[in-house]
Amino acid sequence: ITLEDGFLTEQLAANLRGTFDRKFAEPRSTGTDRFCWDYWHVPDQYTLVRTPADAYFDEPDFAALTEALTDFGQRTLGCNAITQPWLSYYVDGCEQRMHTDSWHGPFAYVLSLTPWETRQFRGGETFILEPALLDYWRGFDPTKGLEESKLTRTVDPCFNRLTIFDPRLPHGVREVRGTRDPREARLVLHGGVTDLGTPFFEGGLKEEQATDTLNDALEPLYEQLGQCERC
């Protein structure tokens, strides 16, 4: 798990949050901005309210957001691109029960726009199963009991915090209890970081300059792999 606090510039984070607050400022408004949300409910699994982020934010702010996420994915994770960002809010009763998202790419991201320190609800934390539990019996100790804090890792969605994790690990969002006001909800951007089948790299050499050297190094490896018996 990687946490990047203060991920976006203060101005961009404020702009994104401000757009959401502005569109929900008047509860009686009948503007089209209020009718783009999908109440996603899968019984006993998912309950949240979501919308594609690209159609929700101003174009310059959305471009700056995706540029920041893509640049981080390339330079820090070695991945080429991100999947479509979703914007979701969680009011009373919303949650994501344990699941995996391995098809989204090698990494998942959650970028919080929640004013966490002044929240008016309980719950809303991201929880991720500890990797050791996927090989539970190897390190099993019958003399020790385990409680939830030892079985999962919990991440608070603090404002402007980027959380990166392996989506193959079972994870979810704790049920929100308290507020029914979208302006007081857990509000996050989320999606996947993908390599599109090829890693991202940069440096002093151009790709064609490195090709021969890489081929010389990889040919013996391919020969060895070709001699391996299939399982």
Side-chain angles (χ1 to χ4, degrees):
I1 300 173
T2 298
L3 302 180
E4 291 286 330
D5 289 325
F7 175 70
L8 300 175
T9 65
E10 292 184 5
Q11 185 62 62
L12 179 55
N15 287 353
L16 297 173
R17 177 70 213 194
T19 296
F20 181 83
D21 288 336
R22 184 176 67 254
K23 292 182 178 183
F24 276 103
E26 177 46 64
R28 294 180 177 85
S29 170
T30 57
T32 56
D33 288 341
R34 296 178 64 86
F35 292 88
C36 63
W37 293 92
D38 169 41
Y39 177 74
W40 189 38
H41 177 67
V42 179
D44 301 320
Q45 188 61 61
Y46 308 106
T47 302
L48 55 103
V49 188
R50 63 182 183 173
T51 191
D54 59 344
Y56 194 80
F57 294 111
D58 296 336
E59 186 174 342
D61 288 339
F62 182 74
L65 166 69
T66 54
E67 181 180 356
L69 289 169
T70 302
D71 184 70
F72 181 86
Q74 291 176 340
R75 299 183 182 281
T76 305
L77 305 175
C79 293
N80 279 311
I82 60 171
T83 62
Q84 171 183 271
W86 288 92
L87 178 67
S88 297
Y89 71 81
Y90 296 66
V91 289
D92 187 64
C94 290
E95 64 177 335
Q96 289 196 49
R97 297 193 183 180
M98 196 172 292
H99 65 283
T100 64
D101 298 307
S102 55
W103 57 89
H104 287 174
F107 300 98
Y109 69 85
V110 178
L111 176 58
S112 177
L113 297 177
T114 308
W116 188 252
E117 298 303 321
T118 59
R119 67 192 183 280
Q120 302 297 312
F121 60 84
R122 301 183 304 277
E125 301 90 350
T126 299
F127 66 89
I128 305 167
L129 195 72
E130 289 288 359
L133 293 181
L134 301 180
D135 193 11
Y136 179 73
W137 297 111
R138 187 181 300 275
F140 178 71
D141 184 347
T143 66
K144 295 181 179 180
L146 292 175
E147 297 181 345
E148 187 173 3
S149 61
K150 299 294 185 181
L151 301 174
T152 62
R153 178 170 178 184
T154 300
V155 180
D156 294 340
C158 300
F159 183 76
N160 202 15
R161 167 178 283 177
L162 178 69
T163 303
I164 300 287
F165 61 93
D166 186 338
R168 296 174 299 177
L169 293 173
H171 59 277
V173 177
R174 300 204 186 285
E175 183 177 5
V176 168
R177 285 297 183 186
T179 187
R180 295 183 179 180
D181 187 340
R183 294 168 297 178
E184 297 176 352
R186 177 190 194 262
L187 179 66
V188 296
L189 290 149
H190 53 101
V193 184
T194 179
D195 57 12
L196 297 177
T198 58
F200 173 83
F201 60 89
E202 63 179 3
L205 294 178
K206 296 181 179 179
E207 184 175 355
E208 56 270 19
Q209 293 175 306
T211 298
D212 290 342
T213 301
L214 286 173
N215 286 342
D216 290 343
L218 291 173
E219 283 180 5
L221 173 62
Y222 293 150
E223 290 178 2
Q224 291 296 320
L225 291 174
Q227 297 174 7
C228 293
E229 295 182 2
R230 293 184 180 273
C231 295

PDB file of all heavy atoms in Angstrom, residues 29-55:
ATOM      1  N   SER A  29     -32.698  22.361  -6.568  1.00  0.00           N
ATOM      2  CA  SER A  29     -32.347  22.643  -7.960  1.00  0.00           C
ATOM      3  C   SER A  29     -32.753  21.493  -8.875  1.00  0.00           C
ATOM      4  O   SER A  29     -32.665  20.319  -8.506  1.00  0.00           O
ATOM      5  CB  SER A  29     -30.837  22.866  -8.087  1.00  0.00           C
ATOM      6  OG  SER A  29     -30.438  22.923  -9.436  1.00  0.00           O
ATOM      7  N   THR A  30     -33.204  21.829 -10.078  1.00  0.00           N
ATOM      8  CA  THR A  30     -33.554  20.815 -11.079  1.00  0.00           C
ATOM      9  C   THR A  30     -32.591  20.855 -12.262  1.00  0.00           C
ATOM     10  O   THR A  30     -32.921  20.409 -13.362  1.00  0.00           O
ATOM     11  CB  THR A  30     -34.996  21.019 -11.576  1.00  0.00           C
ATOM     12  OG1 THR A  30     -35.134  22.352 -12.097  1.00  0.00           O
ATOM     13  CG2 THR A  30     -35.989  20.801 -10.448  1.00  0.00           C
ATOM     14  N   GLY A  31     -31.395  21.396 -12.055  1.00  0.00           N
ATOM     15  CA  GLY A  31     -30.397  21.443 -13.120  1.00  0.00           C
ATOM     16  C   GLY A  31     -29.933  20.054 -13.512  1.00  0.00           C
ATOM     17  O   GLY A  31     -29.965  19.108 -12.719  1.00  0.00           O
ATOM     18  N   THR A  32     -29.505  19.930 -14.761  1.00  0.00           N
ATOM     19  CA  THR A  32     -29.083  18.615 -15.277  1.00  0.00           C
ATOM     20  C   THR A  32     -27.878  18.057 -14.532  1.00  0.00           C
ATOM     21  O   THR A  32     -27.655  16.847 -14.535  1.00  0.00           O
ATOM     22  CB  THR A  32     -28.767  18.713 -16.774  1.00  0.00           C
ATOM     23  OG1 THR A  32     -27.761  19.729 -16.974  1.00  0.00           O
ATOM     24  CG2 THR A  32     -30.012  19.084 -17.576  1.00  0.00           C
ATOM     25  N   ASP A  33     -27.079  18.926 -13.889  1.00  0.00           N
ATOM     26  CA  ASP A  33     -25.903  18.456 -13.147  1.00  0.00           C
ATOM     27  C   ASP A  33     -26.276  17.488 -12.032  1.00  0.00           C
ATOM     28  O   ASP A  33     -25.454  16.694 -11.594  1.00  0.00           O
ATOM     29  CB  ASP A  33     -25.154  19.646 -12.529  1.00  0.00           C
ATOM     30  CG  ASP A  33     -24.428  20.471 -13.578  1.00  0.00           C
ATOM     31  OD1 ASP A  33     -24.210  19.937 -14.666  1.00  0.00           O
ATOM     32  OD2 ASP A  33     -24.090  21.627 -13.282  1.00  0.00           O
ATOM     33  N   ARG A  34     -27.519  17.552 -11.565  1.00  0.00           N
ATOM     34  CA  ARG A  34     -27.933  16.710 -10.446  1.00  0.00           C
ATOM     35  C   ARG A  34     -28.506  15.373 -10.906  1.00  0.00           C
ATOM     36  O   ARG A  34     -28.846  14.523 -10.081  1.00  0.00           O
ATOM     37  CB  ARG A  34     -28.967  17.449  -9.603  1.00  0.00           C
ATOM     38  CG  ARG A  34     -28.437  18.709  -8.948  1.00  0.00           C
ATOM     39  CD  ARG A  34     -29.549  19.408  -8.175  1.00  0.00           C
ATOM     40  NE  ARG A  34     -30.026  18.574  -7.084  1.00  0.00           N
ATOM     41  CZ  ARG A  34     -29.481  18.541  -5.865  1.00  0.00           C
ATOM     42  NH1 ARG A  34     -28.437  19.293  -5.597  1.00  0.00           N
ATOM     43  NH2 ARG A  34     -29.991  17.770  -4.918  1.00  0.00           N
ATOM     44  N   PHE A  35     -28.625  15.162 -12.208  1.00  0.00           N
ATOM     45  CA  PHE A  35     -29.285  13.953 -12.709  1.00  0.00           C
ATOM     46  C   PHE A  35     -28.319  13.001 -13.418  1.00  0.00           C
ATOM     47  O   PHE A  35     -28.731  12.162 -14.205  1.00  0.00           O
ATOM     48  CB  PHE A  35     -30.430  14.338 -13.648  1.00  0.00           C
ATOM     49  CG  PHE A  35     -31.577  15.004 -12.946  1.00  0.00           C
ATOM     50  CD1 PHE A  35     -31.590  16.376 -12.767  1.00  0.00           C
ATOM     51  CD2 PHE A  35     -32.629  14.260 -12.426  1.00  0.00           C
ATOM     52  CE1 PHE A  35     -32.639  17.007 -12.104  1.00  0.00           C
ATOM     53  CE2 PHE A  35     -33.678  14.873 -11.767  1.00  0.00           C
ATOM     54  CZ  PHE A  35     -33.683  16.254 -11.599  1.00  0.00           C
ATOM     55  N   CYS A  36     -27.030  13.140 -13.131  1.00  0.00           N
ATOM     56  CA  CYS A  36     -26.027  12.317 -13.810  1.00  0.00           C
ATOM     57  C   CYS A  36     -25.534  11.172 -12.932  1.00  0.00           C
ATOM     58  O   CYS A  36     -24.621  10.443 -13.315  1.00  0.00           O
ATOM     59  CB  CYS A  36     -24.837  13.175 -14.237  1.00  0.00           C
ATOM     60  SG  CYS A  36     -23.943  13.933 -12.859  1.00  0.00           S
ATOM     61  N   TRP A  37     -26.138  11.004 -11.751  1.00  0.00           N
ATOM     62  CA  TRP A  37     -25.629  10.034 -10.800  1.00  0.00           C
ATOM     63  C   TRP A  37     -26.344   8.691 -10.911  1.00  0.00           C
ATOM     64  O   TRP A  37     -27.545   8.631 -11.128  1.00  0.00           O
ATOM     65  CB  TRP A  37     -25.784  10.560  -9.374  1.00  0.00           C
ATOM     66  CG  TRP A  37     -24.925  11.742  -9.104  1.00  0.00           C
ATOM     67  CD1 TRP A  37     -25.267  13.062  -9.253  1.00  0.00           C
ATOM     68  CD2 TRP A  37     -23.566  11.730  -8.658  1.00  0.00           C
ATOM     69  NE1 TRP A  37     -24.205  13.865  -8.920  1.00  0.00           N
ATOM     70  CE2 TRP A  37     -23.147  13.077  -8.547  1.00  0.00           C
ATOM     71  CE3 TRP A  37     -22.670  10.715  -8.322  1.00  0.00           C
ATOM     72  CZ2 TRP A  37     -21.870  13.425  -8.124  1.00  0.00           C
ATOM     73  CZ3 TRP A  37     -21.401  11.072  -7.901  1.00  0.00           C
ATOM     74  CH2 TRP A  37     -21.017  12.402  -7.816  1.00  0.00           C
ATOM     75  N   ASP A  38     -25.576   7.617 -10.738  1.00  0.00           N
ATOM     76  CA  ASP A  38     -26.099   6.249 -10.735  1.00  0.00           C
ATOM     77  C   ASP A  38     -26.065   5.710  -9.317  1.00  0.00           C
ATOM     78  O   ASP A  38     -24.999   5.632  -8.700  1.00  0.00           O
ATOM     79  CB  ASP A  38     -25.245   5.376 -11.655  1.00  0.00           C
ATOM     80  CG  ASP A  38     -25.548   3.885 -11.496  1.00  0.00           C
ATOM     81  OD1 ASP A  38     -26.736   3.540 -11.382  1.00  0.00           O
ATOM     82  OD2 ASP A  38     -24.586   3.083 -11.487  1.00  0.00           O
ATOM     83  N   TYR A  39     -27.241   5.376  -8.791  1.00  0.00           N
ATOM     84  CA  TYR A  39     -27.302   4.701  -7.487  1.00  0.00           C
ATOM     85  C   TYR A  39     -27.030   3.221  -7.745  1.00  0.00           C
ATOM     86  O   TYR A  39     -27.885   2.488  -8.233  1.00  0.00           O
ATOM     87  CB  TYR A  39     -28.679   4.898  -6.844  1.00  0.00           C
ATOM     88  CG  TYR A  39     -28.833   4.164  -5.524  1.00  0.00           C
ATOM     89  CD1 TYR A  39     -28.209   4.619  -4.366  1.00  0.00           C
ATOM     90  CD2 TYR A  39     -29.612   3.005  -5.445  1.00  0.00           C
ATOM     91  CE1 TYR A  39     -28.356   3.945  -3.161  1.00  0.00           C
ATOM     92  CE2 TYR A  39     -29.765   2.330  -4.239  1.00  0.00           C
ATOM     93  CZ  TYR A  39     -29.130   2.810  -3.111  1.00  0.00           C
ATOM     94  OH  TYR A  39     -29.279   2.134  -1.922  1.00  0.00           O
ATOM     95  N   TRP A  40     -25.801   2.806  -7.415  1.00  0.00           N
ATOM     96  CA  TRP A  40     -25.358   1.446  -7.742  1.00  0.00           C
ATOM     97  C   TRP A  40     -25.552   0.564  -6.520  1.00  0.00           C
ATOM     98  O   TRP A  40     -24.887   0.741  -5.498  1.00  0.00           O
ATOM     99  CB  TRP A  40     -23.896   1.460  -8.158  1.00  0.00           C
ATOM    100  CG  TRP A  40     -23.431   0.156  -8.719  1.00  0.00           C
ATOM    101  CD1 TRP A  40     -24.117  -0.688  -9.525  1.00  0.00           C
ATOM    102  CD2 TRP A  40     -22.141  -0.446  -8.502  1.00  0.00           C
ATOM    103  NE1 TRP A  40     -23.342  -1.783  -9.847  1.00  0.00           N
ATOM    104  CE2 TRP A  40     -22.136  -1.660  -9.231  1.00  0.00           C
ATOM    105  CE3 TRP A  40     -21.008  -0.072  -7.800  1.00  0.00           C
ATOM    106  CZ2 TRP A  40     -21.025  -2.503  -9.248  1.00  0.00           C
ATOM    107  CZ3 TRP A  40     -19.898  -0.903  -7.817  1.00  0.00           C
ATOM    108  CH2 TRP A  40     -19.909  -2.113  -8.537  1.00  0.00           C
ATOM    109  N   HIS A  41     -26.474  -0.381  -6.649  1.00  0.00           N
ATOM    110  CA  HIS A  41     -26.767  -1.271  -5.533  1.00  0.00           C
ATOM    111  C   HIS A  41     -26.776  -2.711  -6.021  1.00  0.00           C
ATOM    112  O   HIS A  41     -27.598  -3.088  -6.853  1.00  0.00           O
ATOM    113  CB  HIS A  41     -28.116  -0.934  -4.906  1.00  0.00           C
ATOM    114  CG  HIS A  41     -28.504  -1.875  -3.801  1.00  0.00           C
ATOM    115  ND1 HIS A  41     -27.815  -1.947  -2.602  1.00  0.00           N
ATOM    116  CD2 HIS A  41     -29.497  -2.802  -3.723  1.00  0.00           C
ATOM    117  CE1 HIS A  41     -28.367  -2.865  -1.832  1.00  0.00           C
ATOM    118  NE2 HIS A  41     -29.394  -3.414  -2.477  1.00  0.00           N
ATOM    119  N   VAL A  42     -25.840  -3.486  -5.524  1.00  0.00           N
ATOM    120  CA  VAL A  42     -25.802  -4.929  -5.738  1.00  0.00           C
ATOM    121  C   VAL A  42     -26.012  -5.549  -4.361  1.00  0.00           C
ATOM    122  O   VAL A  42     -25.159  -5.383  -3.481  1.00  0.00           O
ATOM    123  CB  VAL A  42     -24.465  -5.393  -6.343  1.00  0.00           C
ATOM    124  CG1 VAL A  42     -24.462  -6.909  -6.519  1.00  0.00           C
ATOM    125  CG2 VAL A  42     -24.210  -4.700  -7.674  1.00  0.00           C
ATOM    126  N   PRO A  43     -27.133  -6.217  -4.124  1.00  0.00           N
ATOM    127  CA  PRO A  43     -27.450  -6.690  -2.771  1.00  0.00           C
ATOM    128  C   PRO A  43     -26.301  -7.467  -2.129  1.00  0.00           C
ATOM    129  O   PRO A  43     -25.668  -8.317  -2.764  1.00  0.00           O
ATOM    130  CB  PRO A  43     -28.679  -7.587  -2.997  1.00  0.00           C
ATOM    131  CG  PRO A  43     -29.334  -7.010  -4.210  1.00  0.00           C
ATOM    132  CD  PRO A  43     -28.209  -6.559  -5.088  1.00  0.00           C
ATOM    133  N   ASP A  44     -26.014  -7.121  -0.893  1.00  0.00           N
ATOM    134  CA  ASP A  44     -24.980  -7.786  -0.090  1.00  0.00           C
ATOM    135  C   ASP A  44     -23.578  -7.621  -0.655  1.00  0.00           C
ATOM    136  O   ASP A  44     -22.669  -8.386  -0.308  1.00  0.00           O
ATOM    137  CB  ASP A  44     -25.296  -9.279   0.077  1.00  0.00           C
ATOM    138  CG  ASP A  44     -26.637  -9.524   0.746  1.00  0.00           C
ATOM    139  OD1 ASP A  44     -26.955  -8.789   1.692  1.00  0.00           O
ATOM    140  OD2 ASP A  44     -27.364 -10.448   0.307  1.00  0.00           O
ATOM    141  N   GLN A  45     -23.366  -6.605  -1.538  1.00  0.00           N
ATOM    142  CA  GLN A  45     -22.031  -6.415  -2.095  1.00  0.00           C
ATOM    143  C   GLN A  45     -21.652  -4.936  -2.247  1.00  0.00           C
ATOM    144  O   GLN A  45     -20.688  -4.480  -1.655  1.00  0.00           O
ATOM    145  CB  GLN A  45     -21.914  -7.121  -3.455  1.00  0.00           C
ATOM    146  CG  GLN A  45     -20.498  -7.133  -4.015  1.00  0.00           C
ATOM    147  CD  GLN A  45     -19.526  -7.860  -3.120  1.00  0.00           C
ATOM    148  OE1 GLN A  45     -19.670  -9.052  -2.848  1.00  0.00           O
ATOM    149  NE2 GLN A  45     -18.518  -7.161  -2.617  1.00  0.00           N
ATOM    150  N   TYR A  46     -22.383  -4.183  -3.056  1.00  0.00           N
ATOM    151  CA  TYR A  46     -22.046  -2.783  -3.306  1.00  0.00           C
ATOM    152  C   TYR A  46     -23.272  -1.890  -3.106  1.00  0.00           C
ATOM    153  O   TYR A  46     -24.363  -2.212  -3.574  1.00  0.00           O
ATOM    154  CB  TYR A  46     -21.556  -2.562  -4.739  1.00  0.00           C
ATOM    155  CG  TYR A  46     -20.434  -3.468  -5.189  1.00  0.00           C
ATOM    156  CD1 TYR A  46     -20.674  -4.505  -6.084  1.00  0.00           C
ATOM    157  CD2 TYR A  46     -19.132  -3.271  -4.738  1.00  0.00           C
ATOM    158  CE1 TYR A  46     -19.643  -5.344  -6.519  1.00  0.00           C
ATOM    159  CE2 TYR A  46     -18.098  -4.098  -5.166  1.00  0.00           C
ATOM    160  CZ  TYR A  46     -18.361  -5.135  -6.052  1.00  0.00           C
ATOM    161  OH  TYR A  46     -17.359  -5.949  -6.471  1.00  0.00           O
ATOM    162  N   THR A  47     -23.073  -0.757  -2.458  1.00  0.00           N
ATOM    163  CA  THR A  47     -24.074   0.297  -2.411  1.00  0.00           C
ATOM    164  C   THR A  47     -23.339   1.634  -2.374  1.00  0.00           C
ATOM    165  O   THR A  47     -22.618   1.929  -1.406  1.00  0.00           O
ATOM    166  CB  THR A  47     -24.982   0.184  -1.169  1.00  0.00           C
ATOM    167  OG1 THR A  47     -25.626  -1.093  -1.157  1.00  0.00           O
ATOM    168  CG2 THR A  47     -26.047   1.268  -1.193  1.00  0.00           C
ATOM    169  N   LEU A  48     -23.477   2.409  -3.437  1.00  0.00           N
ATOM    170  CA  LEU A  48     -22.839   3.717  -3.510  1.00  0.00           C
ATOM    171  C   LEU A  48     -23.479   4.509  -4.645  1.00  0.00           C
ATOM    172  O   LEU A  48     -24.271   3.979  -5.422  1.00  0.00           O
ATOM    173  CB  LEU A  48     -21.326   3.577  -3.711  1.00  0.00           C
ATOM    174  CG  LEU A  48     -20.850   2.753  -4.908  1.00  0.00           C
ATOM    175  CD1 LEU A  48     -20.385   3.645  -6.038  1.00  0.00           C
ATOM    176  CD2 LEU A  48     -19.730   1.803  -4.499  1.00  0.00           C
ATOM    177  N   VAL A  49     -23.116   5.781  -4.744  1.00  0.00           N
ATOM    178  CA  VAL A  49     -23.645   6.648  -5.798  1.00  0.00           C
ATOM    179  C   VAL A  49     -22.454   7.133  -6.617  1.00  0.00           C
ATOM    180  O   VAL A  49     -21.510   7.701  -6.069  1.00  0.00           O
ATOM    181  CB  VAL A  49     -24.425   7.834  -5.213  1.00  0.00           C
ATOM    182  CG1 VAL A  49     -25.142   8.606  -6.323  1.00  0.00           C
ATOM    183  CG2 VAL A  49     -25.437   7.355  -4.168  1.00  0.00           C
ATOM    184  N   ARG A  50     -22.488   6.929  -7.932  1.00  0.00           N
ATOM    185  CA  ARG A  50     -21.299   7.142  -8.745  1.00  0.00           C
ATOM    186  C   ARG A  50     -21.640   7.829 -10.060  1.00  0.00           C
ATOM    187  O   ARG A  50     -22.781   7.790 -10.543  1.00  0.00           O
ATOM    188  CB  ARG A  50     -20.617   5.798  -9.040  1.00  0.00           C
ATOM    189  CG  ARG A  50     -21.506   4.861  -9.851  1.00  0.00           C
ATOM    190  CD  ARG A  50     -20.859   3.515 -10.096  1.00  0.00           C
ATOM    191  NE  ARG A  50     -21.708   2.678 -10.944  1.00  0.00           N
ATOM    192  CZ  ARG A  50     -21.372   1.503 -11.437  1.00  0.00           C
ATOM    193  NH1 ARG A  50     -20.182   0.994 -11.148  1.00  0.00           N
ATOM    194  NH2 ARG A  50     -22.195   0.807 -12.206  1.00  0.00           N
ATOM    195  N   THR A  51     -20.598   8.428 -10.667  1.00  0.00           N
ATOM    196  CA  THR A  51     -20.729   9.040 -11.986  1.00  0.00           C
ATOM    197  C   THR A  51     -19.354   9.070 -12.640  1.00  0.00           C
ATOM    198  O   THR A  51     -18.332   9.158 -11.940  1.00  0.00           O
ATOM    199  CB  THR A  51     -21.302  10.471 -11.886  1.00  0.00           C
ATOM    200  OG1 THR A  51     -21.655  10.950 -13.182  1.00  0.00           O
ATOM    201  CG2 THR A  51     -20.309  11.439 -11.268  1.00  0.00           C
ATOM    202  N   PRO A  52     -19.265   8.983 -13.972  1.00  0.00           N
ATOM    203  CA  PRO A  52     -17.969   9.137 -14.637  1.00  0.00           C
ATOM    204  C   PRO A  52     -17.417  10.540 -14.398  1.00  0.00           C
ATOM    205  O   PRO A  52     -18.111  11.539 -14.611  1.00  0.00           O
ATOM    206  CB  PRO A  52     -18.286   8.903 -16.115  1.00  0.00           C
ATOM    207  CG  PRO A  52     -19.560   8.116 -16.110  1.00  0.00           C
ATOM    208  CD  PRO A  52     -20.328   8.622 -14.919  1.00  0.00           C
ATOM    209  N   ALA A  53     -16.175  10.619 -13.966  1.00  0.00           N
ATOM    210  CA  ALA A  53     -15.609  11.912 -13.588  1.00  0.00           C
ATOM    211  C   ALA A  53     -15.374  12.823 -14.783  1.00  0.00           C
ATOM    212  O   ALA A  53     -15.386  14.051 -14.642  1.00  0.00           O
ATOM    213  CB  ALA A  53     -14.306  11.704 -12.832  1.00  0.00           C
ATOM    214  N   ASP A  54     -15.164  12.248 -15.966  1.00  0.00           N
ATOM    215  CA  ASP A  54     -14.834  13.088 -17.121  1.00  0.00           C
ATOM    216  C   ASP A  54     -15.988  13.994 -17.524  1.00  0.00           C
ATOM    217  O   ASP A  54     -15.778  15.081 -18.061  1.00  0.00           O
ATOM    218  CB  ASP A  54     -14.384  12.233 -18.307  1.00  0.00           C
ATOM    219  CG  ASP A  54     -15.443  11.239 -18.756  1.00  0.00           C
ATOM    220  OD1 ASP A  54     -16.387  10.983 -17.991  1.00  0.00           O
ATOM    221  OD2 ASP A  54     -15.318  10.713 -19.877  1.00  0.00           O
ATOM    222  N   ALA A  55     -17.217  13.574 -17.274  1.00  0.00           N
ATOM    223  CA  ALA A  55     -18.377  14.378 -17.641  1.00  0.00           C
ATOM    224  C   ALA A  55     -18.823  15.302 -16.517  1.00  0.00           C
ATOM    225  O   ALA A  55     -19.743  16.104 -16.709  1.00  0.00           O
ATOM    226  CB  ALA A  55     -19.534  13.470 -18.055  1.00  0.00           C
TER     227      ALA A  55
END
